[in-house]
Amino acid sequence: MTRVAFFDTKPYDKVWFDRLSGEYGVEITYFESKLNERTASLAAGYEVACAFVNDTITEAVINELYEGGVRLLAMRCAGYNNIDFKAAFGKIHIVRVPAYSPYAVAEHAMALLLSVVRQTHHSYVRTREFNFSLNGLVGFDLHGKTIGVVGTGKIGKVFIDICKGFGMNVLAYDPYPDPKLEVTYCSFEELCRQSDIISLHCPLTEQSFHLINRNTISLMKDGVVLINTSRGALVESQALLEGIKSKKIGAAALDVYEEEGEVFYEDRSTTILDDDVLMLLISMPNVLVTSHQAFLTKEALHNIAQTTLGSIQSFASGDVMEHEICYQCDTCKKVTGQRCF
C-alpha cells in the first residue's frame, strides 16, 4: 500500500477518496491542517503528500517533505501557482488534476452572473424576513449583451456555450486562440472596451497576474459586470474596490480572492477579518462573494479523487504519470507525459 499524507482535509474530500482508495492500493492519513512550513513535518514517513489550492508549498516545504521521504506531491486541483517548482525538480514529482469538471466551474460562473444581475441573493434574504418589496431589485436581460470571456480552455469553452444559449454576443481573448472554436477573438484591450460583462477563465501566470487592474478597468464600459471563478490574483483587489466605489464597475461576482489563503474554506463567523479590502467588498450591495466553491459538485469530487489516486498508483508502479508537471521540461510547466527524473 502507498501511504499518503492528505492535507487541508474537509468532510467532502473524504467521501470519494475513502470509497476509491482501496481500489488503487492507497492508504490515506487525513490532516485538517494546510500544508505549509509549520505542518510539512507531518508527512514524514509517507511516500506521497496530497495538497490543495491554498496550501503554501515553498522551497522550505519541499525540502522538509523530501527529507521526510515524500517523493510525490499530488495536487488535487488544477492550479499550481502555489508551488516552488524549481525547488522540487530532481526531488519530488508533482501531479495535478487538470480537468475535474469544466461544467461545474462554468455553471457556477453563470449562477453568479445570474444572481448578481437579477439580485436573487438579495431577494432571498428579503423574503426570509417577509419583505416582499421589489424596490432596488431591477436587473437586466443577458440576451443581446456582449460578454467577454478571458481564456478559452475547457472551462471557457463550456461557459461560452452556456452564454450562447442565453443569446449573448461572445468576444474572447486567449494568448493561444483555438481556431476551431466558433467565437470572435480580439485583443484583451478591445474585449475590455466592448464587453458589458467580463468573465475570467484563465490560469494565473506571470503574464496574467493582476490582469484586471486600474489601467484595464479604465478601458471598460461604465457599469461593466466582472465575474471571476479562476484565480484570485487575476484581479487587483484594491483596484476592483476603487472601480466599484466609483461605479465604473456596476457589479462583481467573485468565487476567488487574491488573499483568500487563510480565509476561504474556514469558518470565520466569530472572528474579525484582518483583510479590510475583503470586508469592504463583501459589504458592497453589488458584490457577491462565494468561497471558492465553483468546483464543488459530486461529479467533480469523484473525478478529483479518481484522477489523483490514478496518478499515485502510476507513480507507485513506476509508470508514466499522465498529469505530471515538470519545471525543467517546459518553462510554462505544462504536463510532460513522462517521468522526468
Side-chain angles (χ1 to χ4, degrees), residues 74-218:
M75 301 299 296
R76 58 186 191 276
C77 53
Y80 47 78
N81 58 285
N82 53 334
I83 304 171
D84 188 332
F85 279 89
K86 188 174 182 179
F89 182 72
K91 295 179 180 178
I92 297 177
H93 296 271
I94 300 172
V95 293
R96 66 172 182 140
V97 182
Y100 36 83
S101 174
Y103 303 101
V105 180
E107 289 170 8
H108 190 73
M110 180 52 72
L112 289 177
L113 175 57
L114 286 168
S115 186
V116 79
V117 165
R118 297 304 304 270
Q119 312 287 334
T120 52
H121 54 307
H122 290 309
S123 61
Y124 169 77
V125 173
R126 282 190 185 185
T127 55
R128 286 180 63 85
E129 297 176 349
F130 305 106
N131 177 356
F132 301 101
S133 168
L134 297 182
N135 294 333
L137 300 181
V138 177
F140 61 82
D141 293 353
L142 295 183
H143 183 86
K145 298 298 186 297
T146 297
I147 186 163
V149 178
V150 181
T152 55
K154 291 183 176 66
I155 296 171
K157 288 175 182 174
V158 173
F159 185 71
I160 286 170
D161 285 343
I162 294 172
C163 292
K164 287 181 177 179
F166 276 81
M168 304 180 77
N169 304 313
V170 181
L171 294 178
Y173 166 74
D174 194 302
Y176 308 98
D178 183 347
K180 297 180 181 179
L181 186 62
E182 295 181 0
V183 69
T184 302
Y185 280 101
C186 63
S187 68
F188 179 66
E189 291 74 17
E190 189 64 21
L191 181 145
C192 289
R193 293 187 184 97
Q194 296 297 326
S195 300
D196 302 300
I197 302 156
I198 296 174
S199 189
L200 305 179
H201 300 279
C202 57
L204 178 61
T205 64
E206 291 181 6
Q207 292 71 35
S208 64
F209 177 76
H210 283 179
L211 186 68
I212 305 298
N213 54 54
R214 290 177 179 85
N215 292 333
T216 53
I217 289 173
S218 69

